[in-house]
Amino acid sequence: MSNIQKTQLNIKTNPTPTPQTEILESHYLLKKNFLSHSENQQLLNYALQKKSDFIPTVVSNYSTTNRSNIDENQHCPLLLQFFPQFEELIVQKIQEILPDVFAKLNIPEFPIGKFENRLTAYNDRNFYGVHIDNKHPGIDTRTVTYVYYCYQEPKAFTGGNLIIYDSKIQGKYYSTADTFKTIEPENNSIVFFLSSYLHEVLPISCPSQAFADSRFTVNGWIHCK
């Protein structure tokens, strides 16, 4: 059984919701060809040039299901927190489509406090377990999450799908429902979803293990004031 199959099976709980269980369906917006081809390649080249500046991700709001005997920090992506030129470009492009984002996510427009961005590199065996993006103080104003994908073509890795779970509500408690949305990482595409959604990144397989063959993303959040 593949890692992807194992992950999907492990997070399942009660396959038959009780009458008291409410299922909230998740919504997302996927935009292809988000940047121009030139901008996409410039971002990729920038990431490759900054290889030595990427650092291991520090896991803070991480939760896994049935991943015993795994050193989580060793399997999380590398991170670059400072890339101002491309942060500005990404934010500018997002602001142009914000009405579409709010409409697709079925939320009212809200006063924006800030945009937060990180550049990540997922390589062989990297994953990120089931979590939400606004669980802790300091990040609890994150309202909309976005992920922009960028990588060399032809693609040298497999896996790395983003799984966005529907929510199962029983009383005051939220958990993953049996249903979910799967977004495959497509070069130069961006996906938006609510930061309160439970989601994960499935394991990557990158046989070369070369940094240049990584699945690069701009992970970002729109904070409300």
Side-chain angles (χ1 to χ4, degrees):
M1 182 179 290
S2 68
N3 285 335
I4 292 178
Q5 290 173 317
K6 287 181 180 178
T7 303
Q8 291 179 352
L9 291 175
N10 286 339
I11 55 84
K12 289 187 176 182
T13 53
N14 181 8
T16 306
T18 66
Q20 292 76 36
T21 300
E22 179 184 358
I23 303 297
L24 291 183
E25 183 181 0
S26 58
H27 300 279
Y28 68 90
L29 173 65
L30 178 65
K31 289 279 190 180
K32 298 183 179 182
N33 300 313
F34 182 65
L35 301 180
S36 69
H37 175 74
S38 174
E39 291 166 339
N40 171 265
Q41 291 302 299
Q42 289 174 36
L43 175 56
L44 176 60
N45 291 335
Y46 179 86
L48 298 182
Q49 293 167 8
K50 292 290 184 177
K51 175 183 177 180
S52 61
D53 294 333
F54 278 78
I55 60 174
T57 301
V58 177
V59 178
S60 58
N61 60 338
Y62 189 92
S63 64
T64 62
T65 305
N66 296 333
R67 289 192 184 278
S68 59
N69 302 319
I70 293 179
D71 184 343
E72 294 156 0
N73 289 289
Q74 293 300 317
H75 291 269
C76 285
L78 296 176
L79 169 70
L80 182 67
Q81 290 185 295
F82 188 67
F83 52 110
Q85 175 184 347
F86 292 99
E87 283 188 275
E88 183 178 341
L89 173 63
I90 293 288
V91 169
Q92 175 189 337
K93 294 286 188 177
I94 289 174
Q95 288 174 323
E96 293 173 1
I97 62 170
L98 272 180
D100 290 342
V101 174
F102 292 133
K104 187 65 176 181
L105 300 187
N106 196 27
I107 58 173
E109 295 189 18
F110 57 85
I112 296 174
K114 66 176 181 178
F115 288 82
E116 178 188 359
N117 295 281
R118 297 175 182 174
L119 184 57
T120 65
Y122 282 76
N123 206 274
D124 194 50
R125 300 179 67 200
N126 288 163
F127 64 84
Y128 212 108
V130 180
H131 65 287
I132 63 174
D133 285 343
N134 54 7
K135 182 178 180 180
H136 299 294
I139 60 173
D140 54 357
T141 56
R142 290 174 175 173
T143 304
V144 174
T145 295
Y146 51 90
V147 184
Y148 172 76
Y149 298 103
C150 181
Y151 53 78
Q152 291 195 125
E153 295 187 284
K155 186 171 68 172
F157 64 87
T158 57
N161 288 351
L162 170 66
I163 305 295
I164 304 174
Y165 292 98
D166 297 331
S167 298
K168 183 168 63 177
I169 306 173
Q170 290 180 297
K172 298 180 180 179
Y173 299 98
Y174 282 64
S175 61
T176 54
D178 298 327
T179 52
F180 52 83
K181 311 296 190 301
T182 301
I183 294 91
E184 295 186 9
E186 182 175 335
N187 189 27
N188 201 22
S189 68
I190 189 170
V191 60
F192 298 85
F193 57 94
L194 294 183
S195 301
S196 55
Y197 286 163
L198 289 155
H199 60 284
E200 69 172 320
V201 177
L202 297 183
I204 291 273
S205 175
C206 183
S208 74
Q209 299 187 16
F211 181 77
D213 289 337
S214 298
R215 166 194 179 274
F216 294 98
T217 65
V218 175
N219 284 53
W221 301 271
I222 304 175
H223 289 250
C224 67
K225 285 187 177 179

